[in-house]
Amino acid sequence: MSNPTLLYTIVDAFTSTPFSGNPASVIILPPAHHTLSSESLLQIAAEFNLSETAFLIPQPSTSPETLRYGLRWFTPTVEIPLCGHATLASARVIFSTPEGQQVDRLEFETLSGTLVAKKVPGGSGKIELDFPASTLEELASADELAQVSEVVSAAAGGGVGVRGVRKAGFFMLVEVDPSFDLEGAVMDANPFTKLPFDAIIITSSRPTSFRPGARFISRVFAPRSGVAEDPVTGSAHCVLTPYWSQTLNIPPGVVIEARQASKRGGDLDLIWEKESGRVRMQGSAVVTMRGELYL
């Protein structure tokens, strides 16, 4: 008897160029495997050893214009409540199926509620995700601010000017002075484990030659979740979009170009819908691999 098989697709998200952006593995679970345990899903994610693996289960649709799926995300070590790039990758896979080619809208039921993905009109091939905007809080303690500055400088291997710090759920956002070459810096993620947050966003208004129109750049480190540096992090832009919209006085509803300046790099177009508390993020995604996983 042959081993049970799962089909997987590897997608590079937030890029139109293979071998850049953030790779995610996407698996649409067949009915026989809808009841796979969380432990089994985690083992599969660890086998891929990508920053995230997405697992999808088809659900009944309430409209002929929309397909619905249950969606869960796993790093190699934990399940996480929200992931932008693996959602974008999932949408790319579904929109490539015969059923997905017939619709323009997807709904995903997740630990963060219902998330929507849409095809962007105009033939660009981009997909728009509708995510909840994060609520930002300032650090009240001078001791906390001093610790953040110390940790960031340790990670960068030298003194780095910190211009602002915010916390939002499991994220901490740190704006650094644009004189610091965030894009070119060799960062050690280990010091970030001293901060009580699962993911640390380092961001700057420093220009980047990779995307001259970008209003800000960022890098994201998550050693507590088993990811030293995440190549492109959609969920982090739920924090970054309201932060930079307010910092740069960009009105809600205006498209903001952004660049995540990791080694692989990725580009996002962002819109803050302040009144509804949402962030719309648009990006490209490209399939690089398909195959079979034997259980």
Side-chain angles (χ1 to χ4, degrees):
M1 181 180 295
S2 60
N3 291 335
T5 301
L6 295 178
L7 302 180
Y8 69 84
T9 306
I10 306 296
V11 180
D12 288 344
F14 293 114
T15 182
S16 57
T17 305
F19 318 124
S20 60
N22 199 352
S25 179
V26 178
I27 296 176
I28 302 176
L29 292 171
H33 294 95
H34 285 184
T35 58
L36 276 176
S37 67
S38 296
E39 180 182 3
S40 295
L41 299 181
L42 185 59
Q43 289 176 330
I44 293 169
E47 183 72 13
F48 282 109
N49 201 33
L50 297 174
S51 56
E52 272 83 23
T53 296
F55 297 93
L56 295 153
I57 294 181
Q59 297 186 350
S61 296
T62 57
S63 164
E65 292 82 24
T66 301
L67 294 178
R68 295 179 67 245
Y69 288 80
L71 172 59
R72 297 173 71 181
W73 309 279
F74 288 79
T75 77
T77 58
V78 295
E79 181 174 12
I80 57 174
L82 185 65
C83 180
H85 87 276
T87 305
L88 181 64
S90 297
R92 168 56 63 215
V93 170
I94 296 168
F95 280 140
S96 299
T97 66
E99 298 82 6
Q101 292 173 13
Q102 304 303 311
V103 302
D104 294 324
R105 186 176 189 274
L106 306 173
E107 291 182 356
F108 298 109
E109 301 303 325
T110 77
L111 291 176
S112 293
T114 301
L115 305 178
V116 174
K118 299 178 181 178
K119 296 176 183 175
V120 174
S124 68
K126 290 184 177 181
I127 296 169
E128 178 177 286
L129 305 179
D130 183 335
F131 274 28
S134 298
T135 300
L136 310 181
E137 299 179 50
E138 295 191 40
L139 291 189
S141 165
D143 289 341
E144 287 180 309
L145 289 170
Q147 182 193 23
V148 171
S149 295
E150 180 182 333
V151 167
V152 171
S153 292
V160 178
V162 172
R163 303 185 71 171
V165 181
R166 300 290 187 274
K167 54 185 179 180
F170 58 85
F171 283 110
M172 171 174 277
L173 179 152
V174 182
E175 181 192 351
V176 296
D177 193 275
S179 63
F180 173 62
D181 183 9
L182 176 61
E183 190 166 29
V186 177
M187 303 286 286
D188 177 7
N190 289 321
F192 291 125
T193 60
K194 297 178 181 179
L195 299 174
F197 292 87
D198 290 339
I200 310 300
I201 305 166
I202 310 297
T203 186
S204 167
S205 59
R206 183 183 177 98
T208 170
S209 60
F210 287 97
R211 197 177 195 196
R215 302 299 301 273
F216 66 88
I217 62 174
S218 64
R219 292 174 67 178
V220 177
F221 305 90
R224 284 173 171 259
S225 298
V227 180
E229 180 172 5
D230 199 32
V232 194
T233 317
S235 56
H237 288 79
C238 296
V239 183
L240 287 158
T241 304
Y243 176 80
W244 281 111
S245 293
Q246 295 174 85
T247 301
L248 299 176
N249 294 314
I250 300 171
V254 173
V255 176
I256 307 168
E257 294 185 24
R259 171 80 179 174
Q260 190 154 331
S262 65
K263 183 177 180 180
R264 290 176 64 99
D267 299 318
L268 305 90
D269 296 333
L270 306 160
I271 302 168
W272 184 32
E273 302 289 1
K274 183 177 180 180
E275 290 190 5
S276 61
R278 309 292 293 182
V279 171
R280 290 159 50 201
M281 60 184 77
Q282 299 177 355
S284 300
V286 58
V287 173
T288 59
M289 192 184 310
R290 291 188 173 94
E292 296 180 339
L293 178 74
Y294 304 111
L295 300 180

